[in-house]
Amino acid sequence: MALILTPNITDPDGFYDELLAAHEGLDKDQSDALTARLVLVLANHIGDRDLLRLALEAAK
Amino acid sequence: MVAVRYKTAFTLYPYKKVPEQTGTPVRHPVVIVGGGPVGLTLALDLGKKGTPALVLDDHEGAGLGSKAICFAKRTLDIAHRLGAAQPMIDKGVIWNVGRVFHGDDRLFSFDLQPEAGHRNPAFINLQQPYFERFLMDEIRRVQSQGAPIETRGRNRVIGLKTHADFVTLDIDTPDGPYQIEADYLVACDGARSAMRDMMGLSFDGRMFEDNFLIADVRMTADFPTERWFWFEPPFKDSGQSALLHKQPDDIWRIDFQLGWDIDRDQELQEDRIRARVDAMLSSQTGEVPDYELVWTSIYTFQCRRMKEFRHGRVFFAGDSAHQVSPFGARGANSGVQDAENLAWKLDHVIKGLAGEPLLDSYSQERGHGADENILNSSRATDFMTPKTQASRLFRDAVLNLAGRHPFARPMVNSGRLSVPCTYQGLPLISADALDGPAATRPGAACVDAPVGNGFLLDLLGHDFVLLVLGGSTPPDMPELRLVHIPDPTPELAVRYLGGNSGAIYLIRPDQHIAGRWPGIDARTIRVALDRALGKD
């Protein structure tokens, strides 16, 4: 299976809004920690090591 | 005396003394305060239906400056129904392509070119004074055929008193004050609405701490007819974002986002503006083209709305009722939709075809539209001007990825361009009984499609219509106008039937869909019609 790099999120503006709302009121360290936890949660959902490696490359 | 608050681009409704300035106050069915895009649309729509409309404005025409420049397809569809769209299209700049830059990088472009088979383009750029003039030209034309529309320039409302079933207005003119009465008053007098202040009504929301510089320049440059938007522009002193967009008459709209702590007077000095514009234009062409500064202005903006758009016999429409940031072209475009929504309801109530609850639905439906516009506008603004470290981090990550990966592009937000809102779920709209296309679900504005040598919207007109498509049998309802198309064009079938062999649509005078069914009897349609008239 290939890494999806075309638009795949329903209501992207709504998602973006929720993502930022989750960070509201946090200081930098808390915010970074939230991002790190979120990456791990999403990585676990994906599971596939090859896909995760592709995602790492895409983000670099 | 009526003081001049601003210069006008065109004289549209020169002051002329009328007999009722002396004697006892005359009662008018509908008085509209403000002869801008919203007030003139409302007057034209009412007048064409035969309901008298009197427009009062404290100036004699359209204010100077391009102001609103992007008019959306839905607005053009409304103007077309009212007979005023052709000169707008002829004069306007039709554009489809937008380009997004981040610093020196060209991230991506998008194409708004709608699917084929629509009369009107997705957008035209046209300076607001022209939009007002073309509406006024059509008002003059229908006046000459007896449409009951009256416009009075340099008539400033200086006092307002509400009663149970009418409103008294004190009006100042160059010949002194006089009084009139109105069964219904519609305040289309802009974001700083004097009517709203006179009634002591609040206008709450969120202020964005930012200043934007507008420079309209006239030049015969060889830039394409596209919307160019820069995040963190690479040219000198350009602020956090910049926009370049073409208007008619070789005029280009340039916007610079200057931030919050600026010296307004200093930034408005011509040499200062020219330095910015020079840097932007030369970054594209390598040299500074000859240009003339036509109009400059610094604005801040707010997203706010009145809680209710109806207060007894007084209605608020356009910027007087709700205000958004300019990103997304949701100001004038939503105001024109307010006018259209209110016109048929006032007309029905004044003619005795519906009761007062129909008028309450104006505030429900257009309040819903305002919320949607404020949400979109706030999101765009938050993306363009990240207020926290985290929001800047994600914004920059999205911009970074968008150049390489298409998935990030839908998250880039330099303004979500105005599309009409849907009234689904609100009281006048019947539940969806057809497993049909989402774009034409009940509550949506009718989507255009080719029919014969013309277009669907032309067949719908200004009244309730029953649209019967394909194999469905028209019910026996002589009281409703019927548009029966047994053999729809492929576009019409895709947009209105989906997988169904036939469908029946009940369509309101503002061309929003009130209900749809695969097939239906007259009794059920009467129930839906009553609901659409607020009689449910």
Side-chain angles (χ1 to χ4, degrees), chain B residues 163-223:
Chain B
H163 311 272
D165 57 356
F166 70 101
V167 178
T168 309
L169 294 175
D170 291 303
I171 298 167
D172 200 10
T173 74
D175 288 307
Y178 71 108
Q179 224 176 37
I180 61 171
E181 292 173 357
D183 287 330
Y184 296 97
L185 176 73
V186 188
C188 307
D189 56 343
R192 295 190 193 93
S193 172
M195 301 306 104
R196 200 181 59 222
D197 289 344
M198 283 179 202
M199 292 182 68
L201 297 167
S202 62
F203 195 40
D204 298 323
R206 179 175 163 203
M207 190 177 82
F208 290 85
E209 294 192 341
D210 225 319
N211 287 284
F212 288 81
L213 170 70
I214 292 183
D216 275 0
V217 307
R218 181 179 286 119
M219 60 177 180
T220 47
D222 203 15
F223 292 117

Side-chain angles (χ1 to χ4, degrees), chain B residues 37-249:
Chain B
V38 182
L40 293 179
T41 300
L42 179 59
L44 181 56
D45 208 351
L46 284 169
K48 283 204 159 182
K49 295 174 197 296
T51 290
L54 167 63
V55 180
L56 306 174
D57 196 289
D58 66 346
H59 286 68
E60 294 185 313
L64 195 67
S66 56
K67 301 198 277 186
I69 60 163
C70 284
F71 291 93
K73 179 174 186 301
R74 173 73 179 133
T75 301
L76 297 173
D77 286 345
I78 293 169
H80 180 75
R81 181 175 63 76
L82 296 175
Q86 199 52 52
M88 296 174 184
I89 305 267
D90 293 344
K91 180 78 191 174
V93 173
I94 296 173
W95 63 277
N96 296 302
V97 174
R99 233 172 251 293
V100 180
F101 301 83
H102 183 205
D104 280 316
D105 299 332
R106 187 178 277 220
L107 291 187
F108 64 96
S109 61
F110 57 86
D111 190 346
L112 295 171
Q113 178 80 54
E115 46 187 17
H118 296 259
R119 176 187 290 283
N120 285 317
F123 276 95
I124 61 165
N125 282 4
L126 181 71
Q127 294 91 329
Q128 182 175 329
Y130 282 119
F131 187 82
E132 296 175 31
R133 188 167 91 182
F134 296 141
L135 285 173
M136 196 61 212
D137 288 346
E138 181 61 14
I139 287 178
R140 294 285 180 225
R141 198 185 66 78
V142 297
Q143 275 174 331
S144 70
Q145 297 170 348
I149 307 172
E150 200 189 334
T151 50
R152 295 184 192 167
R154 295 201 79 183
N155 271 239
R156 170 177 289 171
V157 177
I158 52 170
L160 179 161
K161 193 167 177 355
T162 56
H163 311 272
D165 57 356
F166 70 101
V167 178
T168 309
L169 294 175
D170 291 303
I171 298 167
D172 200 10
T173 74
D175 288 307
Y178 71 108
Q179 224 176 37
I180 61 171
E181 292 173 357
D183 287 330
Y184 296 97
L185 176 73
V186 188
C188 307
D189 56 343
R192 295 190 193 93
S193 172
M195 301 306 104
R196 200 181 59 222
D197 289 344
M198 283 179 202
M199 292 182 68
L201 297 167
S202 62
F203 195 40
D204 298 323
R206 179 175 163 203
M207 190 177 82
F208 290 85
E209 294 192 341
D210 225 319
N211 287 284
F212 288 81
L213 170 70
I214 292 183
D216 275 0
V217 307
R218 181 179 286 119
M219 60 177 180
T220 47
D222 203 15
F223 292 117
T225 306
E226 299 176 346
R227 178 189 196 259
W228 286 9
F229 189 94
W230 284 264
F231 291 99
E232 297 175 334
F235 20 95
K236 192 170 174 295
D237 289 337
S238 51
Q240 290 192 64
S241 70
L243 176 77
L244 178 69
H245 215 176
K246 193 178 186 189
Q247 305 173 46
D249 302 335

Side-chain angles (χ1 to χ4, degrees), chain B residues 294-429:
Chain B
V294 179
W295 183 59
T296 58
S297 169
I298 286 185
Y299 64 94
T300 57
F301 59 79
Q302 313 186 18
C303 285
R304 52 186 181 169
R305 58 165 286 189
M306 296 178 75
K307 196 160 173 291
E308 296 291 335
F309 299 171
R310 178 188 186 192
H311 291 264
R313 290 297 178 116
V314 184
F315 297 83
F316 292 84
D319 283 357
S320 73
H322 45 76
Q323 198 184 358
V324 293
S325 83
F327 301 100
R330 289 164 185 272
N333 286 303
S334 69
V336 167
Q337 290 172 60
D338 288 351
E340 159 161 88
N341 190 286
L342 187 54
W344 72 268
K345 293 173 181 176
L346 277 174
D347 174 67
H348 270 69
V349 172
I350 288 169
K351 287 178 178 155
L353 301 169
E356 290 282 315
L358 182 62
L359 297 177
D360 288 332
S361 75
Y362 165 70
S363 196
Q364 290 159 353
E365 293 188 337
R366 295 312 301 162
H368 171 70
D371 287 344
E372 201 174 279
N373 287 326
I374 287 171
L375 179 70
N376 277 293
S377 174
S378 302
R379 284 174 174 177
T381 310
D382 285 337
F383 192 87
M384 287 163 52
T385 55
K387 298 292 184 292
T388 63
Q389 204 169 18
S391 60
R392 172 166 291 278
L393 187 74
F394 280 107
R395 200 285 297 266
D396 290 347
V398 166
L399 291 177
N400 177 290
L401 291 167
R404 288 177 283 147
H405 301 305
F407 87 89
R409 293 171 194 168
M411 283 187 258
V412 175
N413 195 341
S414 65
R416 298 282 177 244
L417 294 167
S418 172
V419 290
C421 82
T422 291
Y423 304 133
Q424 191 175 35
L426 294 176
L428 302 193
I429 305 299

Side-chain angles (χ1 to χ4, degrees), chain B residues 432 434-441 447 449 467 469-472 488-505 516-518:
Chain B
D432 194 357
L434 183 78
D435 182 19
T440 46
R441 65 196 184 277
V447 179
L467 174 66
L469 298 171
S472 296
T489 57
E491 293 93 337
L492 188 59
V494 165
R495 291 168 203 173
Y496 285 82
L497 291 179
N500 300 281
S501 60
I504 297 180
Y505 283 76
R516 66 176 182 181
W517 305 264

